[in-house]
Amino acid sequence: MKKGFVFAVHSVLGLLSGLFILVMSLSGAALVFHQELDSLQYPQVSAVQNNALLPIDSMYYKLQRKFPHAQVSNCGIAENNTSPFIFSVYDSSYQNGTAAMQVFMHPQTGEVLKARGGSNDVKNNFISWLAGLHSSFHLGKTGEWLLGFFAVIFLLSLVTGVVLYRKNILSVLL
């Protein structure tokens, strides 16, 4: 093989894989802090004077009154009187009960503050949108294949780099 051809292939593959690495690195770094970033989208809770946090069974009872057919799969207990209880529920009123919905409840009054479509609600949830970008470019199975394709491009870029710099690989790496 001619060195000029290998260098040209290495350069093109490096540019393509560089864009892939940039998107995956930035989205992955943000997803490490998914809980902190997602909490910025929680509804605001104003503390009620002289009221303690409601017990979890009272919150569950109030949730069942609002969503009588809800199946609770998870509950995030409020840390204090300014953070909401977060229930993950499957209810027939949301996508026929096939997808989880998040219900935010006031920790002192039990009032439903907000309900959002959980991990499937990409319109209202930045972290879900970012996770979809990171896992499939929002293209479903096609996006997963595209991620695999870019991973192979990155691998080929590494292989052509080793071929190009095989004599000086130690000094290049150091």
Side-chain angles (χ1 to χ4, degrees):
M1 271 193 269
K2 293 194 174 206
K3 190 171 185 173
F5 174 74
V6 175
F7 185 75
V9 170
H10 177 70
S11 298
V12 170
L13 293 177
L15 285 173
L16 287 175
S17 64
L19 291 173
F20 166 73
I21 289 171
L22 178 69
V23 169
M24 290 297 110
S25 298
L26 292 177
S27 61
L31 286 172
V32 168
F33 301 101
H34 68 92
Q35 289 177 329
E36 291 84 357
L37 291 171
D38 194 35
S39 69
L40 297 174
Q41 290 188 303
Y42 292 171
Q44 296 295 319
V45 176
S46 299
V48 178
Q49 290 292 342
N50 300 326
N51 279 9
L53 296 178
L54 288 176
I56 190 70
D57 56 343
S58 297
M59 297 299 284
Y60 179 74
Y61 176 71
K62 289 178 182 273
L63 177 74
Q64 287 293 346
R65 280 196 295 166
K66 180 73 175 175
F67 299 98
H69 303 292
Q71 300 273 331
V72 176
S73 67
N74 190 3
C75 175
I77 298 175
E79 296 173 5
N80 52 43
N81 57 1
T82 59
S83 63
F85 277 84
I86 306 166
F87 286 92
S88 295
V89 300
Y90 290 87
D91 188 60
S92 58
S93 67
Y94 179 71
Q95 293 188 359
N96 295 324
T98 60
M101 173 176 67
Q102 287 182 318
V103 179
F104 298 89
M105 297 181 73
H106 194 285
Q108 295 171 310
T109 64
E111 166 192 2
V112 173
L113 300 170
K114 178 181 176 182
R116 73 175 185 192
S119 62
N120 295 323
D121 191 4
V122 296
K123 296 182 295 278
N124 299 322
N125 191 347
F126 172 71
I127 294 301
S128 295
W129 178 86
L130 194 62
L133 176 72
H134 188 79
S135 64
S136 68
F137 295 125
H138 295 290
L139 298 174
K141 204 61 159 167
T142 304
E144 291 175 10
W145 281 96
L146 195 57
L147 285 172
F149 171 75
F150 278 119
V152 170
I153 294 294
F154 179 62
L155 181 65
L156 290 174
S157 176
L158 288 173
V159 168
T160 57
V162 168
V163 168
L164 276 175
Y165 302 108
R166 68 184 174 274
K167 294 178 183 172
N168 301 329
I169 193 77
L170 192 58
S171 62
V172 168
L173 292 176
L174 295 176

